[in-house]
Structure formats: C-alpha cells, structure tokens
Amino acid sequence: MLKAKGKGPKKGTVKFVIDCSAPVEDKVLDIASFEKYMQERIKVEGKTGNLAQNNVAVSRDSTKLTVAIPAEVKLSKRQLKYLTKRYLKKQQLRDYLRVVAASKNSYEMRYFQMNGGEEGGADA
C-alpha cells in the first residue's frame, strides 16, 4: 500500500501565547513567578514535571508567556487557560482579571469592565 502525499503527521511545533501586558505594566502580576507556576503545573501525558522529556518549552519576554509544544505531543490550549485562572485565584487577582482568547493560539489577560453606580453605599 502506498501512502498518500500530505496525509502524514505534521512536523514542527505549536506555540501558545498568553499575553499578560495589562497586569504586568500595572505591576499587578509578576511574570517570572507566573512562568515558574506554569512550568511546575503543566501536565504532559498525564504527569506534571514532564516538560523536558517531551521537548515542551515555556519561555517569557517582558509581557508574554510562550509555550512551545512539539506537534506530536497532545496539550490543549484549554489546560493553559485553566492553569492561568488557577494562578490568578491563588494570587487573589481573579476578581479583577479575566482570561480571553485573543486568537486561535493565544490568550490575553484583561481587566473586568467596572461600569455602574456604587451599590454598597448607604441603605435607607
């Protein structure tokens, strides 16, 4: 049997980006501790701490965290959102920040829009 051209597995890497520019510029979030948290908590093949064996790289620049995954390794973008939300909850920032999908391979941290009157004022 002959293999059809173009039907083989894709080679290369998939990159997921988490853009933390808003909270980092306001000095609310420490991107170095966020990177360390992600390196400790990302599961590959059902195990944490399994990044190096599977060539998964977590890197950061001044405001963005990038997770590079080989195409043959299964890691969902949804897991990164879950871990990001857990980190925000741990840092007590979950009430102020939300994680929004900016594109197919990226998430962005945004502040909640606070519009409306003060409701906790004087009760008559």
Side-chain angles (χ1 to χ4, degrees), residues 17-26 29-31 34 61-65 84 87-88 97 107-111:
V17 177
I18 302 171
D19 184 7
C20 312
S21 55
V24 169
E25 288 170 0
D26 293 341
L29 183 88
D30 180 23
I31 192 122
F34 180 48
D61 59 11
S62 59
T63 61
K64 293 182 181 178
L65 190 75
T84 302
Y87 178 78
L88 292 174
L97 292 167
Y107 282 117
E108 178 181 355
M109 285 189 201
R110 293 185 187 168
Y111 288 105

Side-chain angles (χ1 to χ4, degrees), residues 14-82:
V14 178
K15 289 188 180 181
F16 294 112
V17 177
I18 302 171
D19 184 7
C20 312
S21 55
V24 169
E25 288 170 0
D26 293 341
K27 294 182 176 50
V28 174
L29 183 88
D30 180 23
I31 192 122
S33 68
F34 180 48
E35 178 192 21
K36 183 175 183 286
Y37 181 86
M38 293 299 264
Q39 285 177 344
E40 292 171 353
R41 300 289 199 300
I42 290 177
K43 283 187 178 182
V44 180
E45 297 176 357
K47 298 178 184 175
T48 57
N50 205 6
L51 298 178
Q53 294 90 334
N54 291 295
N55 297 324
V56 176
V58 179
S59 60
R60 66 178 155 91
D61 59 11
S62 59
T63 61
K64 293 182 181 178
L65 190 75
T66 305
V67 181
I69 306 159
E72 62 271 3
V73 175
K74 300 291 182 203
L75 182 75
S76 68
K77 180 182 164 191
R78 183 79 182 106
Q79 183 190 6
L80 298 178
K81 182 175 184 178
Y82 170 75

